[in-house]
Amino acid sequence: MLNIHTDEDIPMVRFVVFLLIPLLSSCDGTEAPSTTTPTAEATAATPLIDTGCQDQSPNGIALFGDVHVHTKFSFDAAANSFGATPIDANAFARGEAIKFFPLSEAGEPVGTAQIDRPLDFLAVTDHGEFLGERSLCRTEGSPAYDTKFCTNTRIDERTGMRMFGSVITTQTPSRISDVCLDDGSRCLDYAKPPWQAMQAAANSANTPCEFTSFVAYEYTGTPGTSNYHRNVIFRDENVPELPVSYVEAPIDTALWAGLDDVCLKSEGCDYLTIPHNTNLANGRMAPYKGLEDTIDAKRGYAETRLRREPIMEIFQHKGGSECINGLTTVLGAPDELCNVEAVRTFGEEKTVPTQRVVDGALVTGTTTMVTNECQPGVNGSYGMIGAGCVDATDFQRSALLVGLKETRQIGLNPIKLGIIAATDTHSANPGGVLESNWQGAVSGESSPAKRLEPGLLTSGIDGNPGGLAGVWATENTRDAIFEAMLRREVFGTSGPRIKVRLFAGWSFADNLCEQADMIDIAYRDGVPMGSDLPATAGSEHPTLLAWATQDPLGQSLKSLQLIKGWVDTDGQMRNEVITVAEADDGRGSFCRTFTDEDFDPTKPTYYYLRAVERQTPRWHTYDCEKIAADARPAVCTNGHYPEMTTEMAWSSPIWYQSSGDN
């Protein structure tokens, strides 16, 4: 039974004001000034500290950013073609035009790129692996420049990318001795200047209260050509001398231990990690890798992950990681929105390239695979190129259920992840997410014709412009945004600047949406997204407050959906999509209270919110229009790719763990 309370009966004046809220928001994503003053007892998750910022709110302001961005310091970056650096990425994020494709006959960039609206925050995450190798192989006169390996990496951009990539597709990675020396010291020495440049760019661009730039990097494990990547975000300028990479730490527990160790040597050093592209993981993102099968070992893993890995990336240019239809381990009706920008579906057959480096040269081949469900405890391969088996932990919705189930076994949740999104652009254009003006993200996407071709690593026609990270932070500073990430009061979008909020409580009034101090009350009487809903001896059914506003410059919202996941008394994982608001003609905003009359306090449960836009044209339709009709590729007319797409935003979950599972 559903008990949904709406804002349909709000007086007309208040209804008009509600619709105007998104239009009154400033272009940088901050909220319009509040018309109410919080009461003394209505305290937010984080109290205000006097930092001098004019724009502060104890209830949070919505900020939009990108925390997954690559420049020429990455071994696989398209930005290598036009020389864009972290300085350029920060400039782009702040609204400046940067040099971009196309290239002249001399190889110089003659185009420009500029974001439609500046971002509020940024983390440039160039790969921590190969910073030194890339520098050695590209710097003429370096000690390794003329080695066979380095010479072959310069044949063309993709060859170089694949040669470096072959090093990290093994579970026992090691430095290339011809380039790095046997002990790897040469590459570590040559990694220091680019790492220092990455820090300098972030610290120079960081402008408290106006624009936040984090020092960061990507940890890039790709065992079995499966995704095992994480972005590492540092709280402030106190960072290690060098990144801890997959070469030094080929497993997540080693990464966290390595970062803890090097952070001890840098006073004030603090960090968090963000897994991404779990949709391409082939089961390798499952917890407890390499651990003893004991409760103590598993609890130790969960404790560390809860402290260091609070959020995950649900969407980016390599597709969505929210959900997949067809898992036998999860019961629930099919969800058509799981298919939006899906790069893998069950039963699909793909011929994928294989590669290895032999005697300093790249040797390639192909293999054919059918996507099926991973066997319990067995990892697959080739997820990074859209193939191989699928595990429940590859997708956020089912992974959260695995976390609930594990909590019953060990008393802690090892997969308790909030939600953000990002671009993963390799072209130094963070936040360049417009479907109508996408300029490409990776190598081989420098023109409409090239973007419409099948790409490498789920790119080209199989890719998309990516998404954005949203945070509810008290102000636009490193500390405030970092703290919002730690407490999981964050959200992700597939590109538009949709704002979403979710609260849960046991005593929310049916007319909460009508209250001028709605958010104050929600904090006072409930918990925000990213939190645990504590058990109560009073009400038997929780009420959720679901709120969303459209992108002020974007499409109106069609629906508001709650996704509920729970583990039943037999240990079966289940989920349900509950539409709590819908308007075919679109709405500027939605606010709903929903009481879950089917809630069972004996079953561990989570909820998260999904706001859905009305459909709009997919990016490739715009690129097809840029090409003469008689020269358009088959993808423009054969219907293999949908002409329309559905943009969305997702809140972080709220968890309820039954009292018997603590």
Side-chain angles (χ1 to χ4, degrees):
M1 180 184 297
L2 305 184
N3 188 358
I4 302 173
H5 303 282
T6 77
D7 57 3
E8 304 294 353
D9 299 325
I10 296 175
M12 183 58 67
V13 171
R14 176 156 175 77
F15 179 67
V16 171
V17 170
F18 222 97
L19 284 178
L20 286 175
I21 287 175
L23 300 178
L24 293 173
S25 300
S26 65
C27 289
D28 65 359
T30 57
E31 293 292 286
S34 172
T35 57
T36 62
T37 302
T39 58
E41 65 271 22
T43 55
T46 304
L48 289 180
I49 299 173
D50 185 8
T51 59
C53 291
Q54 294 289 319
D55 195 0
Q56 282 187 322
S57 171
N59 289 341
I61 54 178
L63 302 173
F64 289 93
D66 197 347
V67 292
H68 193 174
V69 177
H70 297 272
T71 76
K72 77 168 192 175
F73 290 156
S74 289
F75 71 95
D76 58 350
N80 282 305
S81 297
F82 52 92
T85 69
I87 293 174
D88 296 305
N90 276 277
F92 183 92
R94 302 194 69 164
E96 299 176 28
I98 64 170
K99 293 180 179 180
F100 208 76
F101 291 113
L103 303 180
S104 69
E105 291 184 2
E108 297 295 326
V110 295
T112 60
Q114 189 170 19
I115 198 170
D116 62 318
R117 288 165 284 176
L119 296 176
D120 299 305
F121 62 94
L122 176 68
V124 174
T125 54
D126 281 311
H127 297 285
E129 297 74 18
F130 313 127
L131 287 174
E133 287 88 333
R134 176 199 163 278
S135 180
L136 283 159
C137 287
R138 287 176 172 267
T139 303
E140 193 168 354
S142 81
Y145 185 80
D146 293 324
T147 61
K148 185 176 181 180
F149 183 92
C150 281
T151 299
N152 284 333
T153 65
R154 298 191 297 271
I155 291 174
D156 59 60
E157 192 171 299
R158 281 197 171 182
T159 298
M161 176 182 70
R162 294 172 73 173
M163 288 184 68
F164 281 122
S166 67
V167 174
I168 52 176
T169 58
T170 173
Q171 292 179 304
T172 55
S174 60
R175 300 283 175 188
I176 305 154
S177 59
D178 287 352
V179 177
C180 303
L181 302 180
D182 288 342
D183 62 358
S185 59
R186 181 191 284 162
C187 288
L188 295 176
D189 286 342
Y190 269 74
K192 292 176 182 177
W195 176 232
Q196 291 163 359
M198 291 158 64
Q199 296 173 56
N203 293 331
S204 176
N206 187 59
T207 309
C209 310
E210 297 177 13
F211 177 78
T212 293
S213 185
F214 289 100
V215 180
Y217 74 94
E218 181 180 319
Y219 164 90
T220 320
T222 317
T225 318
S226 305
N227 185 275
Y228 196 63
H229 300 187
R230 286 165 163 88
N231 289 321
V232 180
I233 314 294
F234 293 98
R235 180 187 287 269
D236 52 32
E237 69 277 5
N238 297 300
V239 302
E241 183 181 29
L242 280 173
V244 177
S245 80
Y246 180 69
V247 178
E248 292 83 35
I251 198 165
D252 52 9
T253 49
L255 170 65
W256 300 320
L259 284 166
D260 286 345
D261 182 55
V262 293
C263 266
L264 287 174
K265 301 171 185 175
S266 179
E267 185 175 353
C269 177
D270 196 7
Y271 71 91
L272 58 84
T273 63
I274 306 172
H276 60 83
N277 286 123
T278 59
N279 61 324
L280 310 177
N282 300 126
R284 295 178 190 270
M285 282 288 185
Y288 315 140
K289 299 296 184 186
L291 297 183
E292 293 181 8
D293 187 14
T294 66
I295 296 295
D296 286 345
K298 291 178 177 179
R299 283 184 62 87
Y301 176 94
E303 288 170 352
T304 301
R305 195 177 192 192
L306 285 165
R307 185 173 68 254
R308 292 303 189 185
E309 194 159 275
I311 55 182
M312 68 161 284
E313 186 181 282
I314 199 171
F315 190 88
Q316 60 129 279
H317 89 82
K318 298 189 188 78
S321 295
E322 181 192 4
C323 49
I324 188 171
N325 291 314
L327 283 170
T328 63
T329 55
V330 178
L331 298 183
D335 179 358
E336 64 178 6
L337 294 183
C338 293
N339 298 327
V340 174
E341 298 299 348
V343 296
R344 291 198 291 161
T345 56
F346 284 116
E348 184 177 15
E349 183 176 283
K350 287 189 177 182
T351 299
V352 298
T354 61
Q355 63 188 50
R356 58 196 177 103
V357 175
V358 179
D359 192 25
L362 185 67
V363 178
T364 61
T366 60
T367 187
T368 300
M369 307 185 73
V370 176
T371 298
N372 50 31
E373 204 160 354
C374 295
Q375 294 298 309
V378 179
N379 296 326
S381 300
Y382 296 106
M384 284 295 291
I385 39 188
C389 68
V390 174
D391 186 76
T393 57
D394 290 356
F395 290 87
Q396 180 258 4
R397 187 185 298 180
S398 46
L400 292 176
L401 287 170
V402 174
L404 288 180
K405 197 170 183 178
E406 280 298 303
T407 308
R408 285 191 154 179
Q409 303 298 317
I410 69 170
L412 290 173
N413 191 336
I415 311 178
K416 192 174 183 180
L417 300 171
I419 293 171
I420 62 159
T423 62
D424 189 16
T425 178
H426 285 56
S427 299
N429 55 339
V433 294
L434 290 182
E435 302 274 336
S436 60
N437 189 35
W438 187 36
Q439 293 178 276
V442 299
S443 174
E445 294 181 345
S446 60
S447 69
K450 290 184 176 181
R451 287 191 289 274
L452 294 170
E453 297 175 355
L456 187 66
L457 301 179
T458 58
S459 59
I461 185 62
D462 295 310
N464 73 89
L468 294 175
V471 301
W472 288 101
T474 55
E475 62 185 11
N476 192 347
T477 60
R478 281 174 167 173
D479 267 339
I481 295 172
F482 193 88
E483 288 294 333
M485 291 181 181
L486 285 179
R487 66 176 183 269
R488 306 179 186 88
E489 202 167 355
V490 296
F491 58 100
T493 88
S494 61
R497 302 193 186 189
I498 304 167
K499 300 171 187 175
V500 293
R501 299 195 91 156
L502 181 66
F503 292 84
W506 300 102
S507 59
F508 287 163
D510 293 350
N511 67 347
L512 182 56
C513 284
E514 302 173 32
Q515 305 304 311
D517 54 351
M518 173 182 72
I519 300 300
D520 295 334
I521 295 170
Y523 273 118
R524 184 192 67 199
D525 298 339
V527 297
M529 57 196 192
S531 303
D532 291 319
L533 178 64
T536 179
S539 173
E540 296 179 356
H541 306 290
T543 297
L544 293 105
L545 173 67
W547 177 91
T549 63
Q550 71 171 79
D551 182 333
L553 303 183
Q555 184 57 257
S556 58
L557 300 177
K558 179 183 178 182
S559 64
L560 203 59
Q561 300 173 332
L562 281 170
I563 285 77
K564 175 184 177 181
W566 71 99
V567 179
D568 67 19
T569 51
D570 296 326
Q572 177 65 57
M573 300 186 294
R574 298 176 179 269
N575 68 65
E576 179 183 10
V577 178
I578 305 166
T579 299
V580 297
E582 193 163 23
D584 288 339
D585 58 347
R587 288 281 301 274
S589 65
F590 285 115
C591 183
R592 297 289 188 272
T593 56
F594 165 78
T595 300
D596 185 2
E597 301 288 354
D598 294 325
F599 174 78
D600 185 336
T602 67
K603 299 173 183 176
T605 305
Y606 71 74
Y607 305 88
Y608 68 88
L609 180 65
R610 186 169 67 185
V612 183
E613 279 191 356
R614 297 168 69 192
Q615 283 198 324
T616 49
R618 188 175 186 263
W619 68 268
H620 78 278
T621 62
Y622 294 99
D623 271 354
C624 287
E625 289 295 322
K626 295 172 185 176
I627 300 172
D630 60 354
R632 291 173 188 166
V635 295
C636 294
T637 57
N638 62 16
H640 288 179
Y641 294 86
E643 292 186 358
M644 306 294 284
T645 190
T646 304
E647 305 278 16
M648 294 172 273
W650 304 266
S651 79
S652 289
I654 291 173
W655 290 266
Y656 170 85
Q657 199 71 43
S658 58
S659 58
D661 297 322
N662 295 326

